[in-house]
Amino acid sequence: MSIWKRVLPQPLSQPGHLPLRRMVQYIDHFMSQREMHRGIVGSPKVTIAQNFDNLLFPKDHPGRSKSDTYYCDSRTLLRTHATCHQNEMLSLKKAYWICDTYRRDEIDRTHYPIFHQMDAIYLINKPDEEVIAHMKAFLESFVSYMLKETLGQVEMRWVDAYFPFTYNSLELEIFYRDQWLELLGGGIIHQDIQKRHDIQPGWAFGIGLERLCMLLYNIQDIRLFWSRDDRFIKQFSGEVQLGDSVPKQMPFVPFSRMQPCYKDISFFVDDSGQENPIDAGRFDMNDVHDILRDYEDLEEVKVQDAFYHPKKQKWSLCLRLTFRAWDRTLENEQVMQLINDMKKQMVDQLGLEMR
Ligand code: FA5
Ligand code: MG
């Protein structure tokens, strides 16, 4: 399905976003104790100026490329980070905001093209060293508030980083399962931005909410936030108990990996005289792949068998299809429906004769 159909009506609005919404209640509590205002953000469609130019992104920054960013037209795009709303928030002086963000990324266990970020700003009229010291203390206490009861004492370290819109930029990493894991980025708001808005110096930071939530609940796959499966959602329905730290969270119990379901489909290829039906003649197996790619729950397609049918004088191909949804068990009836639909597309679009 295209990204344009999937743009969220509101941040955190999917059923599978429940653990994120729950985590945000804790975040709100932490922030309110530090007199931080929660800023409201609008549509994910923002201008290139908001997302890049005003934040001093060089014209050739890779983040701007069409292969990384969903552009709507020559002026607008789907925001790639919550920082695009920083300018609107500066007058609040101490503020945080949460929004859905979009990046053209591979889909794997830790990357998804739609995710959520929280950004914050904290203005204090102090010299640079004190601004940085304040930021480090604030963010260390935030991470410790979020994770210490669940993960135990959290080992953290700061490493140098680069963002076009901050200086003295840093990333905070935590030691988790034998490796250092990037959790958030921050730095002092760039002087050009300070001048343009005539504001006091201060720091800014940003964090990916799904990644934090995965640590909090031991969720191993970011795609589960898009699940509608009760076995996922029900695990996050308990009471939220606000206090000095997030109480120990019950780790998410993964349900058994879904069983794959195998089905074969066979069809005739009218390519008389060809030695091999797959790489010769009018028939192009890639046309079949183009049709099959649209079926999300189809994991793999393999050519199982190909033989020449002497009576019909046609090649017969058999494909082995592996179906597996990552978030739910597929019923046989659903798979049969998918198969029927695929066959119809193959007949209508490619004129193939199904067996
Ligand atoms: C930023 O987006 C900066 N705007 C953060 C920032 C704000 C720095 C303010 C300084 C001041 P970065 O591109 O590293 O930085 O993304 C931040 C976080 O978003 C990452 O650490 C990660 O947790 C999350 N993230 C990035 N891409 C994905 C993705 N495809 N899926 C899920 N989470 C992602
Ligand atoms: Mg980063």
Side-chain angles (χ1 to χ4, degrees):
M1 213 197 308
S2 90
I3 195 79
W4 309 104
K5 291 194 191 139
R6 304 190 54 190
V7 170
L8 295 174
Q10 294 282 328
L12 305 170
S13 51
Q14 289 300 301
H17 293 155
L18 181 63
L20 294 165
R21 291 196 293 273
R22 185 185 164 91
M23 185 179 79
V24 167
Q25 290 183 259
Y26 292 114
I27 294 178
D28 284 338
H29 178 70
F30 177 91
M31 293 295 181
S32 68
Q33 289 185 326
R34 282 149 187 87
E35 276 133 39
M36 298 280 276
H37 307 280
R38 176 144 176 204
I40 307 291
V41 297
S43 157
K45 192 169 156 180
V46 300
T47 63
I48 295 171
Q50 282 175 292
N51 198 80
F52 294 127
D53 301 333
N54 297 348
L55 293 168
L56 315 171
F57 275 70
K59 285 281 178 230
D60 60 354
H61 191 281
R64 288 184 186 251
S65 77
K66 287 211 168 62
S67 57
D68 287 21
T69 298
Y70 294 106
Y71 283 92
C72 310
D73 53 48
S74 61
R75 212 180 57 86
T76 59
L77 46 70
L78 293 178
R79 62 186 162 223
T80 64
H81 57 168
T83 317
C84 67
H85 297 293
Q86 192 186 79
N87 286 350
E88 308 151 38
M89 303 291 173
L90 290 170
S91 62
L92 294 171
K93 294 193 171 80
K94 296 182 174 72
Y96 68 104
W97 60 99
I98 286 168
C99 60
D100 41 325
T101 48
Y102 300 79
R103 290 186 195 180
R104 272 184 195 278
D105 253 328
E106 294 290 306
I107 298 183
D108 63 26
R109 293 160 78 87
T110 58
H111 291 85
Y112 201 78
I114 312 177
F115 58 103
H116 293 81
Q117 285 189 341
M118 171 169 75
D119 259 43
I121 48 144
Y122 196 109
L123 305 188
I124 27 167
N125 203 1
K126 296 261 171 68
D128 282 355
E129 313 81 68
E130 285 179 54
V131 175
I132 284 291
H134 186 274
M135 177 183 86
K136 283 183 173 172
F138 187 104
L139 295 177
E140 284 169 20
S141 86
F142 172 67
V143 171
S144 160
Y145 161 82
M146 292 303 300
L147 298 176
K148 77 169 181 222
E149 304 282 349
T150 299
L151 296 188
Q153 209 51 54
V154 196
E155 205 183 330
M156 302 181 228
R157 75 176 183 194
W158 290 94
V159 295
D160 288 336
Y162 164 79
F163 303 103
F165 39 89
T166 53
Y167 63 97
N168 291 358
S169 307
L170 295 167
E171 274 173 352
L172 181 61
E173 298 184 341
I174 66 164
F175 199 65
Y176 177 71
R177 297 200 169 168
D178 302 330
Q179 57 179 352
W180 290 100
L181 195 71
E182 171 198 327
L183 201 55
L184 56 86
I188 304 178
I189 297 170
H190 199 288
Q191 282 106 334
D192 291 359
I193 298 175
Q194 285 183 32
K195 274 187 218 126
R196 177 156 22 98
H197 293 269
D198 192 23
I199 52 162
Q200 305 163 359
W203 54 263
F205 100 105
I207 188 169
L209 290 187
E210 277 81 355
R211 301 260 180 93
L212 183 62
C213 197
M214 289 164 81
L215 290 169
L216 191 59
Y217 292 106
N218 193 30
I219 296 171
Q220 297 299 314
D221 194 319
I222 198 168
R223 291 169 285 200
L224 283 162
F225 294 107
W226 297 87
S227 173
R228 290 171 182 275
D229 193 317
D230 266 358
R231 287 174 300 174
F232 180 68
I233 297 163
K234 278 216 180 102
Q235 295 192 30
F236 306 99
S237 56
E239 282 282 300
V240 165
Q241 293 161 8
L242 302 172
D244 292 340
S245 53
V246 175
K248 187 171 172 55
Q249 296 299 299
M250 281 303 138
F252 168 63
V253 183
F255 28 89
S256 63
R257 176 129 167 81
M258 304 305 147
Q259 291 299 311
C261 165
Y262 303 103
K263 297 278 178 199
D264 292 347
I265 53 174
S266 303
F267 53 90
F268 288 115
V269 176
D270 194 359
D271 248 359
S272 36
Q274 300 295 342
E275 296 224 325
N276 176 336
I278 292 177
D279 53 29
R282 287 188 293 115
F283 172 74
D284 186 346
M285 188 60 200
N286 278 336
D287 291 339
V288 176
H289 283 302
D290 276 344
I291 289 175
L292 298 183
R293 228 193 306 281
D294 281 342
Y295 296 84
E296 281 184 36
D297 299 327
L298 180 62
E299 189 176 86
E300 197 181 56
V301 182
K302 261 197 195 145
V303 179
Q304 181 81 353
D305 191 26
F307 70 91
Y308 194 70
H309 198 284
K311 259 201 201 141
K312 282 219 164 212
Q313 300 210 317
K314 282 178 180 172
W315 280 92
S316 170
L317 279 191
C318 174
L319 304 183
R320 164 66 48 98
L321 306 180
T322 307
F323 291 87
R324 171 152 55 186
W326 48 266
D327 62 342
R328 66 198 194 287
T329 309
L330 293 172
E331 306 294 336
N332 191 53
E333 203 179 311
Q334 295 173 297
V335 174
M336 287 318 293
Q337 237 166 13
L338 291 176
I339 296 262
N340 286 336
D341 193 59
M342 288 171 177
K343 286 183 176 169
K344 186 172 173 341
Q345 301 301 325
M346 288 165 71
V347 171
D348 291 354
Q349 295 187 38
L350 305 178
L352 295 172
E353 184 189 343
M354 307 309 296
R355 295 194 62 181

